[in-house]
Amino acid sequence: MTVLFANAADWTKIGPALEACREAGVAVFVVDTDVREREGIVSIIQSDNYLAGVLVARDLMKKMPRGGDIVLMNHDSVYSTVERRQGFLDTIGDRKEYRIVAETHNTSEIEVATAEMNRIIQSGIHFDAVFGNNDPTALGALAGIQMNNVTEPILIYGVDGSPDCKTMIQRGLVEGSAAQYPIQVGREAAETAYRYLEGQK
């Protein structure tokens, strides 16, 4: 039997590929981010992305108890980032002192995030914090802030716990990142596939 590990770049459009796998008898294991159509998927191995957003919001509210203006930088086609955004928003809830003043919807890479941050700053929007959907987004936001010579303190958050982002945290340039453990996720995915090939549920 053939096994395939899938990490969807677009959680809504991977359906035809998954259907082709089903027709070909390929066992699909979804890794790292969910998919819309789960029919025929053997297993899904991923971080608790909703919790990542919750953790970022809790830390932000602890650091900004009086509230502030927040920029959300998301990537709507990847479901893990959709969940992170929702966890963040649900945790802030209806607290009016925390205001979302700008939001991007297709930001997941450093270069794109930098360009989006340039646009936000140059439009004159004031903000006190940025929640990037992953660490490259957070680092891109940081680059945009530095390029525009913004001097007031901005709390920047990412998700991943990547080495580059941890370095920026240590330097005091990024506030935090909700860490993931990709080695653990990958190991669990491989072990799950082996168990399946051995006939286990």
Side-chain angles (χ1 to χ4, degrees):
M1 173 178 284
T2 300
V3 166
L4 182 136
F5 297 96
N7 183 303
D10 190 321
W11 74 289
T12 66
K13 296 181 180 178
I14 195 175
L18 299 177
E19 175 62 28
C21 288
R22 285 195 295 272
E23 293 175 357
V26 174
V28 177
F29 294 77
V30 171
V31 180
D32 186 50
T33 185
D34 213 338
V35 294
R36 173 177 284 176
E37 301 171 20
R38 289 183 169 188
E39 183 181 353
I41 301 297
V42 175
S43 186
I44 300 174
I45 303 95
Q46 61 180 332
S47 302
D48 188 337
N49 288 291
Y50 183 90
L51 178 59
V54 170
L55 294 173
V56 168
R58 286 176 179 170
D59 193 76
L60 182 147
M61 289 189 294
K62 180 180 177 181
K63 306 280 178 59
M64 297 171 51
R66 296 182 180 178
D69 298 328
I70 304 165
V71 171
L72 295 183
M73 305 187 80
N74 306 300
H75 196 155
D76 296 345
S77 64
V78 180
Y79 193 66
S80 58
T81 66
V82 173
E83 290 182 301
R84 294 167 192 169
R85 174 185 180 275
Q86 196 60 53
F88 182 87
L89 291 176
D90 287 350
T91 304
I92 289 176
D94 58 0
R95 296 174 178 86
K96 292 182 172 50
E97 64 270 30
Y98 298 100
R99 299 168 295 276
I100 308 302
V101 295
E103 187 166 5
T104 65
H105 296 279
N106 292 290
T107 311
S108 195
E109 300 171 346
I110 290 178
E111 296 81 5
V112 178
T114 301
E116 287 293 331
M117 183 52 65
N118 284 336
R119 179 184 62 78
I120 290 168
I121 292 172
Q122 291 166 16
S123 71
I125 295 173
H126 169 271
F127 57 96
D128 305 294
V130 178
F131 177 32
N133 68 79
N134 60 12
D135 282 354
T137 301
L139 295 176
L142 172 63
I145 288 168
Q146 291 177 328
M147 287 171 58
N148 286 275
N149 299 312
V150 176
T151 56
E152 59 266 26
I154 306 288
L155 301 186
I156 302 173
Y157 290 89
V159 175
D160 288 332
S162 67
D164 288 344
C165 195
K166 286 191 283 188
T167 297
M168 293 300 104
I169 292 170
Q170 290 169 348
R171 293 179 181 176
L173 299 173
V174 171
E175 188 63 28
S177 178
Q180 298 194 93
Y181 299 90
I183 293 175
Q184 181 178 339
V185 170
R187 182 183 296 115
E188 185 66 31
E191 291 175 352
T192 302
Y194 277 121
R195 291 195 299 271
Y196 177 78
L197 292 171
E198 292 168 357
Q200 299 181 40
K201 184 175 180 180

